[in-house]
Amino acid sequence: MSGAAVDLDLVQVQFTQSLSDDGEDVVLETYILAYEEINKIFGVLGSVFKFVSTDVEKKIDILRSKLQQTPESYKTVRSMIMYETCNNITDSDRNNGCRTLLRLHRALEFVAEFIKVLAIEQEDNISKPVWAAYSATLAQHHTWLIRNTVSMATYTLPTRQNILEQVGKVEDPESLNNLVSVMEKVYRVVETAYTEFQLLTLK
Protein backbone atom coordinates (compact mmCIF):
# COMPACT_ATOMS: atom_id res chain seq x y z
CA MET A 1 0.00 0.00 0.00
CA SER A 2 1.33 3.41 -0.96
CA GLY A 3 2.67 5.43 1.98
CA ALA A 4 3.03 2.42 4.28
CA ALA A 5 6.38 1.62 5.90
CA VAL A 6 6.09 -1.91 4.52
CA ASP A 7 4.09 -2.94 1.45
CA LEU A 8 2.68 -6.23 2.71
CA ASP A 9 0.46 -6.62 -0.35
CA LEU A 10 3.59 -6.56 -2.50
CA VAL A 11 5.24 -9.10 -0.20
CA GLN A 12 2.26 -11.42 -0.67
CA VAL A 13 2.47 -11.12 -4.46
CA GLN A 14 6.23 -11.70 -4.51
CA PHE A 15 6.19 -14.71 -2.22
CA THR A 16 3.36 -16.18 -4.30
CA GLN A 17 5.36 -15.61 -7.49
CA SER A 18 8.45 -17.17 -5.93
CA LEU A 19 6.77 -20.58 -5.86
CA SER A 20 7.53 -22.78 -8.85
CA ASP A 21 4.69 -23.98 -11.09
CA ASP A 22 4.71 -27.41 -9.46
CA GLY A 23 4.79 -25.87 -5.98
CA GLU A 24 7.89 -27.84 -4.99
CA ASP A 25 10.60 -25.22 -5.38
CA VAL A 26 11.22 -21.52 -4.76
CA VAL A 27 12.73 -19.03 -7.23
CA LEU A 28 15.58 -17.41 -5.35
CA GLU A 29 15.51 -13.97 -6.99
CA THR A 30 11.81 -13.42 -6.27
CA TYR A 31 12.24 -14.78 -2.74
CA ILE A 32 14.99 -12.20 -2.17
CA LEU A 33 12.76 -9.38 -3.45
CA ALA A 34 9.99 -10.41 -1.07
CA TYR A 35 12.44 -10.67 1.80
CA GLU A 36 13.86 -7.21 1.12
CA GLU A 37 10.41 -5.73 1.56
CA ILE A 38 9.39 -7.80 4.58
CA ASN A 39 12.68 -6.91 6.27
CA LYS A 40 11.39 -3.34 6.56
CA ILE A 41 9.00 -4.55 9.23
CA PHE A 42 11.85 -4.71 11.73
CA GLY A 43 12.26 -0.96 11.30
CA VAL A 44 8.63 -0.57 12.36
CA LEU A 45 9.33 -2.47 15.58
CA GLY A 46 11.80 0.09 16.89
CA SER A 47 15.54 0.71 17.12
CA VAL A 48 16.13 -2.34 19.31
CA PHE A 49 15.36 -4.58 16.33
CA LYS A 50 17.79 -2.77 14.05
CA PHE A 51 20.39 -5.51 14.54
CA VAL A 52 17.97 -8.04 13.06
CA SER A 53 17.33 -5.91 10.00
CA THR A 54 21.06 -5.32 9.46
CA ASP A 55 21.79 -9.04 9.70
CA VAL A 56 19.06 -9.86 7.21
CA GLU A 57 20.44 -7.25 4.79
CA LYS A 58 23.89 -8.87 4.95
CA LYS A 59 22.45 -12.28 4.17
CA ILE A 60 20.39 -10.93 1.29
CA ASP A 61 23.55 -9.32 -0.13
CA ILE A 62 25.39 -12.66 0.04
CA LEU A 63 22.62 -14.47 -1.83
CA ARG A 64 22.27 -11.74 -4.42
CA SER A 65 26.03 -11.79 -5.07
CA LYS A 66 25.98 -15.55 -5.64
CA LEU A 67 22.93 -15.23 -7.87
CA GLN A 68 24.68 -12.62 -10.00
CA GLN A 69 27.89 -14.64 -10.26
CA THR A 70 26.30 -17.99 -11.08
CA PRO A 71 22.67 -17.30 -12.07
CA GLU A 72 21.74 -20.77 -13.35
CA SER A 73 23.12 -22.55 -10.28
CA TYR A 74 21.29 -20.20 -7.94
CA LYS A 75 18.05 -19.92 -9.89
CA THR A 76 16.00 -21.84 -7.33
CA VAL A 77 16.49 -23.17 -3.82
CA ARG A 78 16.87 -26.74 -5.06
CA SER A 79 19.32 -25.83 -7.83
CA MET A 80 21.41 -23.95 -5.25
CA ILE A 81 21.40 -26.92 -2.90
CA MET A 82 22.40 -29.31 -5.68
CA TYR A 83 25.18 -27.02 -6.91
CA GLU A 84 26.68 -26.34 -3.48
CA THR A 85 26.46 -29.88 -2.13
CA CYS A 86 27.86 -31.46 -5.31
CA ASN A 87 30.79 -29.01 -5.31
CA ASN A 88 31.43 -29.20 -1.55
CA ILE A 89 30.74 -25.47 -1.23
CA THR A 90 28.72 -26.03 1.93
CA ASP A 91 31.94 -27.28 3.56
CA SER A 92 34.50 -24.94 2.04
CA ASP A 93 32.70 -21.57 2.04
CA ARG A 94 31.43 -20.17 5.34
CA ASN A 95 29.21 -17.75 3.44
CA ASN A 96 27.70 -20.46 1.27
CA GLY A 97 24.21 -19.93 -0.06
CA CYS A 98 22.66 -22.89 1.77
CA ARG A 99 23.79 -21.70 5.18
CA THR A 100 22.82 -18.10 4.41
CA LEU A 101 19.34 -19.02 3.18
CA LEU A 102 18.81 -21.31 6.18
CA ARG A 103 19.17 -18.31 8.51
CA LEU A 104 16.63 -16.33 6.48
CA HIS A 105 14.37 -19.38 6.36
CA ARG A 106 14.33 -19.63 10.15
CA ALA A 107 13.59 -15.92 10.48
CA LEU A 108 10.72 -16.21 8.00
CA GLU A 109 8.93 -18.59 10.34
CA PHE A 110 9.08 -15.99 13.10
CA VAL A 111 7.93 -13.15 10.81
CA ALA A 112 4.93 -15.23 9.72
CA GLU A 113 4.02 -15.87 13.34
CA PHE A 114 4.46 -12.17 14.14
CA ILE A 115 2.14 -11.13 11.31
CA LYS A 116 -0.35 -13.72 12.53
CA VAL A 117 -0.32 -11.95 15.90
CA LEU A 118 -1.16 -8.67 14.14
CA ALA A 119 -4.02 -10.37 12.32
CA ILE A 120 -5.74 -12.13 15.21
CA GLU A 121 -4.85 -10.44 18.51
CA GLN A 122 -7.39 -8.12 20.04
CA GLU A 123 -5.19 -6.60 22.74
CA ASP A 124 -3.12 -3.56 21.79
CA ASN A 125 -0.16 -4.68 23.88
CA ILE A 126 1.37 -7.57 21.91
CA SER A 127 4.55 -8.12 23.92
CA LYS A 128 3.49 -11.51 25.27
CA PRO A 129 2.21 -13.06 22.01
CA VAL A 130 5.25 -11.78 20.11
CA TRP A 131 7.54 -13.30 22.73
CA ALA A 132 5.59 -16.55 22.45
CA ALA A 133 6.00 -16.46 18.65
CA TYR A 134 9.74 -15.87 18.99
CA SER A 135 10.12 -18.60 21.63
CA ALA A 136 8.43 -21.12 19.34
CA THR A 137 10.60 -20.26 16.34
CA LEU A 138 13.87 -18.30 16.23
CA ALA A 139 14.68 -18.69 19.92
CA GLN A 140 15.47 -22.34 19.29
CA HIS A 141 18.48 -21.29 17.20
CA HIS A 142 19.72 -18.36 19.29
CA THR A 143 22.14 -18.12 22.19
CA TRP A 144 20.98 -17.14 25.67
CA LEU A 145 22.37 -13.65 25.16
CA ILE A 146 20.33 -13.03 22.02
CA ARG A 147 17.20 -14.56 23.58
CA ASN A 148 17.60 -12.27 26.58
CA THR A 149 18.03 -9.24 24.31
CA VAL A 150 14.89 -10.10 22.36
CA SER A 151 13.01 -10.72 25.61
CA MET A 152 13.73 -7.17 26.74
CA ALA A 153 13.05 -5.78 23.26
CA THR A 154 9.51 -7.17 23.19
CA TYR A 155 8.60 -4.78 26.02
CA THR A 156 9.56 -1.81 23.83
CA LEU A 157 7.34 -2.83 20.91
CA PRO A 158 4.88 -0.30 19.51
CA THR A 159 1.21 -1.09 20.05
CA ARG A 160 -0.64 -3.35 17.63
CA GLN A 161 -2.64 -0.33 16.44
CA ASN A 162 0.53 1.64 15.75
CA ILE A 163 2.09 -1.20 13.77
CA LEU A 164 -1.09 -1.73 11.75
CA GLU A 165 -1.11 1.97 10.93
CA GLN A 166 2.50 1.82 9.72
CA VAL A 167 1.85 -1.20 7.49
CA GLY A 168 -1.44 0.19 6.18
CA LYS A 169 -3.69 -2.53 7.58
CA VAL A 170 -5.79 -0.74 10.20
CA GLU A 171 -9.02 -1.19 8.24
CA ASP A 172 -8.54 -4.85 7.41
CA PRO A 173 -6.02 -6.64 9.68
CA GLU A 174 -7.70 -10.00 8.98
CA SER A 175 -6.44 -9.79 5.38
CA LEU A 176 -2.97 -10.44 6.79
CA ASN A 177 -3.99 -14.08 7.19
CA ASN A 178 -3.67 -14.43 3.40
CA LEU A 179 -0.06 -13.25 3.58
CA VAL A 180 0.63 -15.62 6.46
CA SER A 181 -0.72 -18.54 4.41
CA VAL A 182 1.59 -17.73 1.49
CA MET A 183 4.62 -17.30 3.77
CA GLU A 184 3.88 -20.61 5.47
CA LYS A 185 3.63 -22.30 2.06
CA VAL A 186 7.01 -20.91 0.99
CA TYR A 187 8.45 -21.94 4.36
CA ARG A 188 7.21 -25.52 3.96
CA VAL A 189 8.65 -25.84 0.45
CA VAL A 190 12.10 -24.68 1.60
CA GLU A 191 11.86 -26.81 4.74
CA THR A 192 11.11 -29.88 2.64
CA ALA A 193 14.11 -29.26 0.36
CA TYR A 194 16.47 -28.81 3.29
CA THR A 195 15.08 -31.89 5.00
CA GLU A 196 15.61 -34.03 1.90
CA PHE A 197 19.25 -32.96 1.67
CA GLN A 198 19.77 -33.10 5.46
CA LEU A 199 20.79 -29.45 5.67
CA LEU A 200 18.53 -28.20 8.48
CA THR A 201 21.38 -28.44 10.99
CA LEU A 202 23.96 -26.80 8.72
CA LYS A 203 26.39 -24.82 10.90
Side-chain angles (χ1 to χ4, degrees):
M1 180 177 293
S2 178
V6 188
D7 191 339
L8 295 181
D9 293 331
L10 175 62
V11 172
Q12 182 176 330
V13 169
Q14 290 174 327
F15 271 129
T16 300
Q17 292 176 343
S18 75
L19 291 164
S20 62
D21 291 340
D22 61 6
E24 296 182 0
D25 206 352
V26 170
V27 178
L28 205 52
E29 183 174 11
T30 318
Y31 179 96
I32 290 172
L33 289 174
Y35 223 113
E36 279 184 320
E37 187 65 27
I38 199 67
N39 187 38
K40 296 176 185 177
I41 204 163
F42 291 111
V44 173
L45 303 186
S47 59
V48 182
F49 285 87
K50 178 63 178 175
F51 80 96
V52 179
S53 177
T54 301
D55 187 54
V56 168
E57 287 173 4
K58 290 178 180 177
K59 288 175 171 53
I60 287 174
D61 286 344
I62 291 172
L63 288 178
R64 176 165 281 118
S65 175
K66 292 185 179 299
L67 182 60
Q68 291 173 345
Q69 292 171 12
T70 323
E72 283 304 310
S73 298
Y74 289 88
K75 185 174 183 179
T76 70
V77 170
R78 285 183 176 273
S79 68
M80 175 187 71
I81 291 174
M82 288 292 294
Y83 173 70
E84 292 199 341
T85 54
C86 289
N87 291 281
N88 297 316
I89 295 173
T90 50
D91 296 322
S92 60
D93 180 6
R94 178 67 174 171
N95 288 326
N96 61 77
C98 290
R99 178 183 181 276
T100 302
L101 179 63
L102 179 60
R103 271 58 184 175
L104 293 178
H105 171 66
R106 291 169 177 172
L108 185 64
E109 184 182 24
F110 165 69
V111 175
E113 289 299 312
F114 171 75
I115 293 175
K116 190 182 296 183
V117 168
L118 294 180
I120 67 176
E121 281 296 320
Q122 298 302 312
E123 296 293 327
D124 219 21
N125 186 325
I126 56 173
S127 296
K128 288 184 178 179
V130 170
W131 172 250
Y134 170 76
S135 298
T137 57
L138 268 180
Q140 300 175 44
H141 310 288
H142 284 168
T143 63
W144 175 87
L145 182 60
I146 295 177
R147 292 197 303 270
N148 193 50
T149 299
V150 174
S151 175
M152 292 185 291
T154 58
Y155 290 99
T156 70
L157 286 172
T159 63
R160 174 177 178 267
Q161 176 72 13
N162 181 269
I163 296 173
L164 288 173
E165 288 173 357
Q166 293 195 63
V167 301
K169 291 295 180 180
V170 174
E171 301 298 326
D172 188 23
E174 293 81 9
S175 67
L176 291 173
N177 285 313
N178 297 324
L179 170 58
V180 172
S181 295
V182 172
M183 294 174 74
E184 288 178 339
K185 171 63 175 176
V186 171
Y187 178 86
R188 288 193 298 270
V189 172
V190 175
E191 182 84 356
T192 297
Y194 271 71
T195 300
E196 288 179 11
F197 287 88
Q198 300 180 332
L199 292 174
L200 284 174
T201 57
L202 192 61
K203 300 296 184 182

